[in-house]
Amino acid sequence: MLNLGPDNNLEFSLYGNALDRRMQEKDVNRILEMAPFSKIDASKFPASKSLQELLEQDARLVTFMPGDIIVRRGDYGTSAFFILRGCVRVVTSPEIEDAALGHTPTPKRTHWQAFKQLWTNHHEPEYRPPFKGSTGHLQTQTRLASDTQEVRAYLSDPKSVIERYATIPIQAGEFFGEIAALTRTPRTATIFAENVCQMIEIRWQGLRDLRRFSTEFRQEIDQIYRERSLKTHLAESSLFKHLDVHQLGQLVDATEFESYGDFDWYPEFRRTDAARHGQQIAKEPLIAQEGDYINDLLLIRAGFARQSIQINEGHRTIGYLGSGDAFGLEELIQSTQTGRAIALKHSLRAVGYVNLLRVPADLIQELVLPRLPSRFHPPKVPDLQTTSQAFDYVESPDRMDEGLLNFIVGGRHNNGTATMLIHLNRCTGCDDCVRACSRAHDGNPRFVRQGPRHQHLMVASACMHCVDPVCMLGCPTGAIHRKEITGDVDINPKTCIGCSNCANNCPYDNIRMVEVTDAHGEPHFDLDTERPRLQATKCDLCSDQVTGPACQYACPHDALKRIDMRQTQSFKNWLQP
Amino acid sequence: MNKALFALFCLLLSWWWWLSLERIGPVASLTGWTLTGCTLFLAAYQLRKWLSILPLGSAQQWMQLHVWISFMAAFIFFWHTGLRLPDGLFEWALYSCFAATWMSGCLGWIVTTTMPRRLARHGDVIIADEIPVIRRQLQLAADQLALDSVSDTGSTTLAEFYQRRLASFFGKQTHRWVHLTGSRRVHAWLDQEFAQIQRFMAEPEWKNLNQLRELAFAKINTDVQGAGTWLLRRWLFVHIPLTHALIVLIGFHIFWVYLFNAGSI
């Protein structure tokens, strides 16, 4: 029997059992007696997936021991937590050191250290210094959770952490982690268990369905989102910079957020034949339909969306939108100027998944447009009355070639912030890039000069440092993480336990598992499994090198470039002959 | 004491330099040393590749400088030599080595700026390491097709045609120099061969013939890519040894110039 606090005197038979199993019916029934679940009207749920079934399938009970790190700042999570018993602490300031979270600060080498690599690089492939203990030379302490058998990082002395750091307690009966789970955005703070905590962990699919079918639950979650994050997010948008606090508050109160598509887009993407990636447009969830009158301004919060127009029976891609982009602004401006309703000139579809904010059009027209500087006005879209005009618009020279756009969006290359592109009209195959990469990584190149191609463009097999880094989902030790300053995705070799989660998740096969060796070229063995120890390796953008990415720095013909695919103008400029 | 010795050494060096200027002539000395500096800088590009992890400027910047300075070096070379032909065996060696190095560099520059575009235009670009693998795959596929055609159609025409006319073509890189000139001679030859053999084949055999034709044209692309990547890599095997030889010859040249002019005071 567990004491869940004054309002939650419930028994949970499942505590102590393996929690990767589905919850039992009686557990679900007891959860449904608790607020906020008790407020949910179960009759609103479809027969195909009742509330009971939803909780059974998309939620699980988990137990955290004191000090267990539940959520790591910067990690990408796919689930939210509801505390049944115990207390967790949110670290607010100062931040817990990177090393304690399993991350690695990689300082730049000095010039001398860079030069020294010429003779200090090891001859053996994938050399690593000796590991200590069976789980590796870990700065972060890890232990196996008795219930889920998952590896968890923990803080050995949570009490001293509470004394040394400013923390906020979250008690039983509260949610946390729902924003990152619903929007696939990084966790904004580190949260650890102060004492033994029992929680319900709800997958994003479950959260999505609970929001979809239960108005009460949606209002509850949306209210948390508004309080904790929406105001900050809107204030950061360049469109709303000129608004005062009161006006921003009006927008916050009226804004709704929605998700389209599937967070788990990558397993399906990996299975799909590359040649058919470009034909996916018809399957992509429609967010806004060309020709419909505009009611809201759509702001992309996370994920990607494809803009297209219909010509005859086909959809022609004209661009893609990512985090921070707005859809419908041009039509709203025109509508304000002409005083009549303007229909949408493009359709918008979710590529993979997209999370967006709907800001009511009348508020935008009233508060935002009158004082919006003209530099934020999007280019005017002409009225496309005839097929010929539509073709002229799609194929205008200042627009990116449609085939190339389809290649980028279909192959999800737009996910990259440092995609390695090779211009085949300029590449002489000299391999200077590979040699430079190898020299910068102790003799081990971190990319393969091959990959999908479109005309004279090749996307090489190198980590793209994605906007939506699905590789980071489920890393048990936080070894793979996004660097706070640069945003690069990096792997800490000291905390990587070789579980292969990241390599299996990467939709582009850009992470490789390698057998690590000692100074004599002999493999390191895991003392527990007695098998050669594996570690994940990938491009780290030469973050410790003084030159930046060695591959790009070494290319004499401007044939290789690391490009942020959101910067379409610089991409287009580089493609020019 | 050390400073005094160093000052004395510098004084002697300056005096010797001044004398050499008088004997060699200020223009020849200036252009000669500038040319030496240019050559050493141009040769340092190879060193830069080795030191790619040091912030010495990007390879692209070095490449641009390499091209411009090599053109400047040609101009200074003609100034230095006074547009006269060399005199004596050593001067001939130095002169021709410089000319060969410069021309091989020019050839390399032209090749590296035009060949990738030509290869991309011709067909699928194939990475050099993959070429032998793809060639072998094509050969095996063609072998199998020829064998299958006998059992499929009961006729040996295609198999014999393959054996007599195409087996060696599929077996190795062919027509390298033809492809390097950009000629379509091989395409025309294959078109002609296939057109001729088709006249002797019954319609049911055409399917296999067309498949073989596709393989043959894929093989041409492999050969074109192979020839292009061969030239893209091999021109350096001429340019770099010539550069090293040039540096050695320049060293001897300077030594002898000072030995027999300024040095013999």
Side-chain angles (χ1 to χ4, degrees), chain A residues 222 225-226 230-257 296-297 299 332 357-372:
Chain A
D222 287 7
Y225 178 50
R226 284 199 178 86
L230 183 59
K231 197 165 191 171
T232 317
H233 180 68
L234 288 182
E236 282 170 359
S237 169
S238 52
L239 290 177
F240 308 130
K241 283 264 192 269
H242 59 284
L243 299 185
D244 59 36
V245 179
H246 174 67
Q247 290 169 327
L248 204 59
Q250 279 180 275
L251 281 189
V252 168
D253 291 341
T255 298
E256 292 188 355
F257 70 108
D296 309 293
L297 177 75
L299 294 173
L332 276 175
L357 303 173
R358 280 187 182 275
V359 191
D362 53 342
L363 270 183
I364 295 289
Q365 287 175 315
E366 183 194 330
L367 302 176
V368 180
L369 294 187
R371 285 190 292 145
L372 185 69

Side-chain angles (χ1 to χ4, degrees), chain A residues 27-56:
Chain A
D27 299 320
V28 174
N29 288 337
R30 281 162 187 160
I31 287 170
L32 287 175
E33 288 169 11
M34 298 164 53
F37 299 97
S38 57
K39 296 180 198 164
I40 297 174
D41 182 356
S43 66
K44 298 275 174 64
F45 284 75
S48 58
K49 194 171 188 181
S50 66
L51 176 59
Q52 183 93 17
E53 284 172 339
L54 187 150
L55 286 175
E56 280 178 20

Side-chain angles (χ1 to χ4, degrees), chain A residues 462-497:
Chain A
C463 174
M464 310 198 299
H465 301 267
C466 295
V467 176
D468 177 24
V470 291
C471 55
M472 284 172 59
L473 300 174
C475 176
T477 62
I480 188 161
H481 62 280
R482 196 189 271 291
K483 294 191 173 206
E484 251 179 76
I485 297 171
T486 58
D488 306 339
V489 179
D490 198 12
I491 296 174
N492 181 0
K494 290 180 178 169
T495 50
C496 174
I497 55 170

Side-chain angles (χ1 to χ4, degrees), chain A residues 3 22 88 193 240 260 323 403 480 511-512 520 529 555 564:
Chain A
N3 181 7
R22 284 166 51 159
V88 299
F240 308 130
Y260 290 85
S323 174
I480 188 161
I511 300 180
R512 286 171 189 84
H520 308 291
T529 63
C555 179
D564 183 341

Side-chain angles (χ1 to χ4, degrees), chain B residues 20-185:
Chain B
S20 73
L21 273 183
E22 239 185 15
R23 295 194 179 206
I24 299 167
V27 173
S29 177
L30 182 71
T31 54
W33 280 110
T34 310
L35 201 54
T36 306
C38 285
T39 310
L40 289 175
F41 178 80
L42 293 171
Y45 180 43
Q46 198 59 25
L47 194 67
R48 151 71 185 78
K49 286 188 176 185
W50 189 61
L51 297 170
S52 57
I53 40 184
L54 288 178
L56 302 172
S58 71
Q60 197 191 347
Q61 291 165 337
W62 273 78
M63 187 67 197
Q64 282 168 355
L65 275 175
H66 194 80
V67 172
W68 287 111
I69 289 177
S70 63
F71 279 111
M72 194 176 85
F75 174 73
I76 297 169
F77 177 75
F78 287 121
W79 191 2
H80 185 68
T81 56
L83 286 174
R84 66 173 178 82
L85 283 177
D87 185 16
L89 192 64
F90 180 78
E91 270 199 9
W92 266 112
L94 183 59
Y95 196 102
S96 13
C97 191
F98 182 89
T101 310
W102 194 84
M103 281 191 290
S104 65
C106 275
L107 173 78
W109 181 54
I110 292 166
V111 165
T112 51
T113 48
T114 59
M115 187 61 79
R117 188 181 301 270
R118 260 179 62 189
L119 296 180
R121 213 166 37 217
H122 188 272
D124 281 348
V125 175
I126 306 171
I127 290 169
D129 308 340
E130 282 185 345
I131 289 172
V133 179
I134 292 175
R135 189 182 296 135
R136 179 72 179 146
Q137 285 170 348
L138 289 171
Q139 186 190 18
L140 290 174
D143 280 353
Q144 193 60 45
L145 191 67
L147 287 172
D148 290 348
S149 74
V150 179
S151 53
D152 288 352
T153 63
S155 162
T156 59
T157 314
L158 187 73
E160 284 184 23
F161 165 69
Y162 173 71
Q163 187 58 35
R164 284 167 185 274
R165 310 293 295 170
L166 296 180
S168 64
F169 165 75
F170 273 98
K172 58 181 188 291
Q173 161 86 45
T174 60
H175 308 97
R176 177 174 287 146
W177 294 103
V178 176
H179 291 313
L180 286 177
T181 60
S183 163
R184 308 269 306 170
R185 220 172 69 200

